[in-house]
Amino acid sequence: MNALGAYFEALRGSQSREAVAMAAGVSVMSILRIEEKGQEPKAEMLTALVRALHARWEDVEALLSNTRATADEGRRLAQQRLAERAKEIADQVPDGEVAEALRFVRSLRENPEALRELRRLLKDGESGAFRRR
């Protein structure tokens, strides 16, 4: 289970446990126990974490089914997933806007309040209430 904890921790990156807990609808202590103590999450929590962290079910299945999987293997799979996500997102940005998009993403990392606002706006957009600012 340490491999899965390392996988989730690497996907979380610089996000706080609090932010991930809020996004997943779980407690901070649950995330701590998974990441640091190797506790196996229940199915509902596992689903919530996979969604919140944009994890890959194939990775989770591989780590859970391999009793010899190491924390290093979990981190390696997470780095691969992060690279895939970055490429998916980058492919959606027009070439002339890549530099501005990178500046924007970096600013979100440094401003948790702006990130929360963006998440709220995106959720509103899913319900059809998205407004341009």
Side-chain angles (χ1 to χ4, degrees):
M1 287 314 307
N2 288 333
L4 185 62
Y7 177 75
F8 285 147
E9 184 175 19
L11 287 177
R12 179 172 59 80
S14 62
Q15 289 183 77
S16 69
R17 285 188 180 117
E18 291 81 7
V20 173
M22 188 168 58
V26 301
S27 74
V28 175
M29 285 306 296
S30 294
I31 292 175
L32 177 75
R33 286 190 296 267
I34 292 165
E35 289 181 355
E36 292 189 5
K37 309 237 188 272
Q39 179 178 343
E40 184 174 350
K42 292 183 180 180
E44 184 177 294
M45 184 183 303
L46 185 60
T47 300
L49 288 172
V50 166
R51 284 188 186 135
L53 294 169
H54 303 283
R56 284 177 18 124
W57 277 111
E58 295 83 3
D59 294 343
V60 171
E61 180 183 13
L63 294 170
L64 287 175
S65 64
N66 181 358
T67 58
R68 294 183 180 170
T70 65
D72 285 340
E73 186 174 353
R75 284 187 283 275
R76 182 184 56 76
L77 286 173
Q79 291 305 314
Q80 287 175 352
R81 178 61 185 139
L82 290 169
E84 289 170 4
R85 277 273 299 144
K87 182 168 179 6
E88 289 170 10
I89 293 167
D91 286 346
Q92 296 175 11
V93 176
D95 290 341
E97 298 177 20
V98 170
E100 179 60 29
L102 287 172
R103 278 192 293 282
F104 177 71
V105 169
R106 288 182 183 121
S107 74
L108 290 177
R109 288 182 187 152
E110 298 166 2
N111 187 345
E113 184 58 38
L115 186 56
R116 280 191 288 278
E117 167 117 5
L118 177 61
R119 284 186 181 134
R120 184 185 58 73
L121 288 171
L122 290 172
K123 283 183 182 179
D124 288 349
E126 290 173 0
S127 66
F130 187 79
R131 301 180 316 264
R132 286 191 175 253
R133 292 189 173 217

